[in-house]
């Protein structure tokens, strides 16, 4: 299962991390993993422009985004990632779980 951890402070997302494997299909043929990867990597590419305001941890089976200096642009991108992942979770809830933490 893919685990997505989203941390909020008030209404602002302060961090988002993704780890695991969906196990929906064989490696290389898993549409859930492909969808999650496309969403998160696309979001990281958009956030990369503000590289001093956002930090990333990228390992073989985990991606994490941490907000260092918040902005409206960063929140728009993070909320877009979050909502897209929620859409996948609605259909594939045995393969993707979003965990919310409020600080």
């Amino acid at each position: 299962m893919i685990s997505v951890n989203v941390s909020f402070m008030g209404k602002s997302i302060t961090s988002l991390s993704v780890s695991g494997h969906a196990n929906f299909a064989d490696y290389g043929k898993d549409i859930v993993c492909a969808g999650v990867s496309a969403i998160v990597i696309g979001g990281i590419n958009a956030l990369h422009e503000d590289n001093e305001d956002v930090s990333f941890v990228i390992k073989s089976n985990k991606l994490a985004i941490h907000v260092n200096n918040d902005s409206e642009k960063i929140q728009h991108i993070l909320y877009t990632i979050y909502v897209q992942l929620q859409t996948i979770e609605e259909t594939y809830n045995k393969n993707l779980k979003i965990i919310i933490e409020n600080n």
Side-chain angles (χ1 to χ4, degrees), residues 1 3 10 15 17 26 31-33 38-39 41-43 45 49 51-52 56 64-65 68 72 78 80 102:
M1 177 176 286
S3 294
S15 68
S17 66
D26 292 337
I31 61 170
V32 177
C33 280
I39 291 165
I41 296 299
N45 288 340
E49 295 176 6
N51 60 0
E52 293 181 13
F56 307 99
I65 303 166
N68 301 323
E72 188 175 326
L78 290 174
T80 300
N102 293 300

Side-chain angles (χ1 to χ4, degrees), residues 72-90:
E72 188 175 326
K73 177 183 175 184
I74 289 170
Q75 286 303 308
H76 282 335
I77 295 167
L78 290 174
Y79 268 95
T80 300
I81 295 168
Y82 175 56
V83 169
Q84 290 175 325
L85 293 173
Q86 281 180 316
T87 303
I88 292 176
E89 182 186 37
E90 288 174 10

